[in-house]
Amino acid sequence: MRGIIILPCVLLALLTPASAAPLAAWQERPTAKTPPAKAADKEPAAKEADAPPPAAPTEKSLLAAFSTSFKPSDGSARVEAINVLGDSSRSLPDGGAGKAVARALARGLLDEELEVRAASIAQLGWGRHVDTAIEQLGDGLSDLLKQLDRRLTRPDEESRTYVGRATRIVGDASAALANYRDDRSVELLVVQLRSLDKNSTGGNNLSTRVLGPMSAAVLSLGTQDAVEAAVRQTQTYVGAGGAQQAPAKILHAELSKFAVAFGQAPPEYSENVSVAWNQWWEKVGDRLPKSLGRLKLPPASPPAEPMKGMRDRKDDGTAPRQ
């Protein structure tokens, strides 16, 4: 009987409020939760949301950055500086067509490093201040031809490599200049085309190297002065044999392309090809436009033919480039 009486007592003791409180407290204990963020913790996010967007670059800021990064002692830095300025300026309200931007980009056209020259030519090839681009590209092309002429007969490896690489840039500069369809471009390209002389037996094959891209650029402008200059240039390479055969054939090929596009059959190649082209010119010359006038707005796209620029492969300067 005592055991029966004790058991209910124990149960009653367990069920008293004092004993049940810990159990209830344990049952009602909340699960672990991340404490609520304090106001101070929310401030950075709020500040980020309220922060104004970064200011769009201005011509002044881009030119200032270019001036700092265009380092005379580092060719690769100069290439990057030109490309950053050129690419970033496309987002300006005027599309990078300001005179100051064009003049800054032109700083690489006379650079001792060919990669820098190539970068400048590519950036100036379209969408830039018309007067500045034409003038500077003309100067750059003229200097390139002078540098080539000086090195063509030098036997050292450095000169041979320079010649091979610079030949490609002459084509790029010619195409970039012709992309500005303006009478001044015609004049500058015609002057350089006429300056090309016969190949010499001493190894100066400048005409073979650059005649193709230069005559193509001149002919692409399509005026009477441009086409006549290319036709008259055939007289420079009279005599199909020897050192003049290569440039004679190159010029004949470019003139033939133009003639077909113009809808007039070209003459056949022969030893008298210069006479044949002059006769062709007398028949069709008057049908061509006399001039292009002065360009008011820059070209909105790069030249039709992609620029070759610099390539990684070695070029010893022996193979002619067309």
Side-chain angles (χ1 to χ4, degrees):
M1 290 296 290
R2 287 184 181 178
I4 296 171
I5 294 170
I6 293 171
L7 182 57
C9 292
V10 172
L11 290 172
L12 288 172
L14 290 172
L15 295 175
T16 57
S19 302
L23 179 61
W26 178 83
Q27 291 175 334
E28 295 176 2
R29 182 181 303 165
T31 56
K33 295 182 179 179
T34 303
K38 298 178 182 179
D41 297 333
K42 296 181 180 179
E43 286 181 2
K47 288 182 179 179
E48 288 181 11
D50 295 339
T58 63
E59 181 180 275
K60 184 177 181 180
S61 66
L62 291 177
L63 290 172
F66 172 79
S67 181
T68 301
S69 57
F70 193 82
K71 301 176 181 178
S73 61
D74 189 341
S76 60
R78 296 196 299 277
V79 171
E80 184 177 2
I82 288 170
N83 286 328
V84 169
L85 172 60
D87 294 343
S88 300
S89 64
R90 302 285 185 194
S91 64
L92 294 174
D94 65 355
K99 185 174 183 178
V101 169
R103 292 191 68 84
L105 293 173
R107 286 180 62 182
L109 289 175
L110 303 180
D111 199 277
E112 61 182 10
E113 298 290 342
L114 290 175
E115 289 83 356
V116 183
R117 293 191 186 222
S120 284
I121 291 168
Q123 290 292 348
L124 286 169
W126 63 284
R128 304 302 179 186
H129 187 265
V130 174
D131 296 349
T132 304
I134 291 175
E135 178 186 359
Q136 297 297 323
L137 285 169
D139 289 346
L141 175 60
S142 177
D143 187 73
L144 265 174
L145 292 171
K146 290 177 182 178
Q147 297 302 326
L148 271 171
D149 195 43
R150 291 172 184 169
R151 292 172 169 82
L152 272 170
T153 57
R154 294 180 185 175
D156 61 284
E157 183 70 15
E158 182 179 354
S159 295
R160 289 159 64 87
T161 300
Y162 184 99
V163 166
R165 303 173 80 202
T167 298
R168 291 193 292 272
I169 308 180
V170 167
D172 289 350
S174 301
L177 185 53
N179 200 34
Y180 290 81
R181 299 184 61 79
D182 185 293
D183 284 337
R184 291 167 293 177
S185 298
V186 175
E187 181 180 356
L188 290 169
L189 284 167
V190 164
V191 166
Q192 297 306 328
L193 183 66
R194 288 173 176 166
S195 73
L196 298 178
D197 203 351
K198 292 182 178 182
N199 285 342
S200 71
T201 55
N204 189 323
N205 63 344
L206 182 61
S207 285
T208 301
R209 289 179 165 278
V210 303
L211 186 57
M214 286 185 62
S215 59
V218 170
L219 290 167
S220 72
L221 294 170
T223 64
Q224 291 182 9
D225 287 346
V227 179
E228 183 178 14
V231 170
R232 303 304 186 203
Q233 187 67 16
T234 60
Q235 298 172 11
T236 303
Y237 313 109
V238 170
Q244 311 316 316
Q245 186 172 10
K249 287 185 174 181
I250 291 171
L251 185 53
H252 172 74
E254 294 300 334
L255 280 165
S256 297
K257 292 176 188 177
F258 175 82
V260 171
F262 188 60
Q264 297 294 320
E268 295 291 331
Y269 182 80
S270 68
E271 291 187 3
N272 296 319
V273 69
S274 177
V275 174
W277 273 114
N278 278 275
Q279 291 173 345
W280 178 91
W281 167 252
E282 294 301 327
K283 294 178 181 178
V284 305
D286 290 340
R287 305 179 197 175
L288 296 170
K290 291 184 177 181
S291 68
L292 297 172
R294 292 176 73 93
L295 193 64
K296 294 181 179 180
L297 297 175
S301 59
E305 291 293 327
M307 294 189 180
K308 296 178 181 179
M310 293 287 89
R311 296 175 182 173
D312 293 333
R313 71 177 180 82
K314 183 180 178 182
D315 189 328
D316 64 5
T318 57
R321 301 294 177 202
Q322 299 182 20

